Amino acid sequence: MTTTKTYRLTAVAPDAFAETCARVLFETVKNKPDAVIGLSTGRTTGDIHRRFAALVRAHNLDVSRLTIFGLDEVTGVSRNYFGACVWMLEHECVNDLGIAPENFLMLPLTSDDWERDCDAFRAELARRGGITLLELGLGENGHIGFNQPGTPFEQRAFHGRMHDYLEARIRRETGTPDDIPLGGVTLGIADVMDAYEIMLCANGAHKKQALTDALWGPVTTDLPATALQTHPNLRIICDTDAAPDPV
Ligand code: GLP
């Protein structure tokens, strides 16, 4: 493994992690009120989103021209399921921020034509000027969004399978029987790489290996986040538990 690559990496104490990430979101909107910001859902980002909304409110920032969109979505579940990305984002920040429905973009939970809907989603982001900032969580196996290991780097938005572990959990939580398909729809790695800026967020010791490999391991589709190594405007924020050893 080579450690010669340098990054814009900030490692902070665990209790400062969410606030540090939230400030990047806040500053982005402050500098560009018509920003298009993509958010990931999961354990990493919930607190970031709540703090982002609190910062916006505390500073009375105008978010009427802000677009928020979700990087990915669980498919085959109800919109009211607490594990649906749309539900999570609404409850973590979108409602609190008062984002108008037309400025909150999500990939659909169901579709009779995924290719059409994925293309339409990408076209709408492009129509709004492209992705100003994309917040990414990091899977322990190096996945980003629903781009699991093996996904080609040229992949655009698509509908596919989710991780077995996540699928089993969602089936349990929703009581969905095995014969009803569940899946994931996500921006592809090529769409992710088109973002003007990426903020990769990771906290906790369980993310340390994935973060180290993502930043300094060989670039390979076996670890989707290694694609980010060549992004021209990547910022990494982690806590000291997840901080890679070379820093
Ligand atoms: C999930 C989501 C991603 C998320 C990632 C990390 O499967 N599809 O959008 O960023 O995995 O999740 P967590 O933050 O819970 O570790």
Side-chain angles (χ1 to χ4, degrees), residues 3 10 24 143 190 215 223:
T3 54
T10 308
V24 174
H143 75 252
L215 299 179
L223 206 133

Side-chain angles (χ1 to χ4, degrees), residues 40-44 71-72 137-139 143 145-146 166 207:
S40 298
T41 50
R43 295 160 299 176
T44 312
L71 167 70
D72 55 3
L138 178 64
H143 75 252
F146 279 120
L166 184 61
K207 295 290 174 75

